[in-house]
Amino acid sequence: MKKVEHLLARKLLDITAIKLQPDNPFTWGSGWVSPIYTDSRKILSYPEVRTFVKTEISRVILENFPGVECLAGVATGAIAHGALAADQLGLPYCFVRLTPKDHGLENLIEGTVKLGQKIVVIEDNLSTAHSSLKVMETLEQAGCEVLGEVAIFDFGFAAAEAALRAKGVKLFSLTNFDAMVDAALGINFITQEDAEALRSWHNDPEMWS
């Protein structure tokens, strides 16, 4: 039986929520040039995949964070996925911006959180972990206790894992870079040469750029 990480990687490739272009790389907002581009918003347009992701996020939370009292989505990519999981679990929900709104109340946290509330953060794509750590800091400054994080896709960069580990964050991911490469090879979505190019980028994305 295939593991969840391989099943989901295949689903994300099928709906082009993951695009692989080793010969025609993308440019990320960070300035990195990358042979892979992920877009979790695509999941929302496919009910079967959307339900799969919502169910798996909920399962991971139930199994690993029994004391959770609220979910918090990282804006903007994880807003909808976090809300869907919170609805399934019957939990309060908020989402957290990385920068304040430039009008109105200028909130970072959208929704209601309580002092001492135990929160699990929902992230769509975990790369550098900068966004996740900023959201956790915002929640902690509001007096909440962050129990950990669930990510849909984890690039598995060592620096990100080290940063989360240094903060004592429990991280669980539904799928990841290695599972995606294996799934793509398994369905002949990419060649062995493509896989080597992807892994070369993954080993040192900044230098590859």
Side-chain angles (χ1 to χ4, degrees), residues 18 131 168:
I18 296 177
S131 297

Short mmCIF file of all heavy atoms in Angstrom, two decimals, residues 18 131 168:
data_model
loop_
_atom_site.label_atom_id
_atom_site.label_comp_id
_atom_site.label_asym_id
_atom_site.label_seq_id
_atom_site.Cartn_x
_atom_site.Cartn_y
_atom_site.Cartn_z
N ILE A 18 1.75 20.98 -8.50
CA ILE A 18 3.21 20.95 -8.56
C ILE A 18 3.60 20.93 -10.02
O ILE A 18 3.15 20.06 -10.77
CB ILE A 18 3.81 19.73 -7.85
CG1 ILE A 18 3.52 19.77 -6.35
CG2 ILE A 18 5.33 19.67 -8.07
CD1 ILE A 18 4.02 18.54 -5.60
N SER A 131 8.16 32.27 6.79
CA SER A 131 6.75 32.64 6.98
C SER A 131 6.17 31.95 8.21
O SER A 131 5.49 32.58 9.03
CB SER A 131 5.92 32.27 5.74
OG SER A 131 6.36 32.99 4.62
N GLY A 168 11.91 24.44 18.75
CA GLY A 168 11.17 23.39 19.42
C GLY A 168 9.83 23.08 18.79
O GLY A 168 8.92 22.58 19.46
#
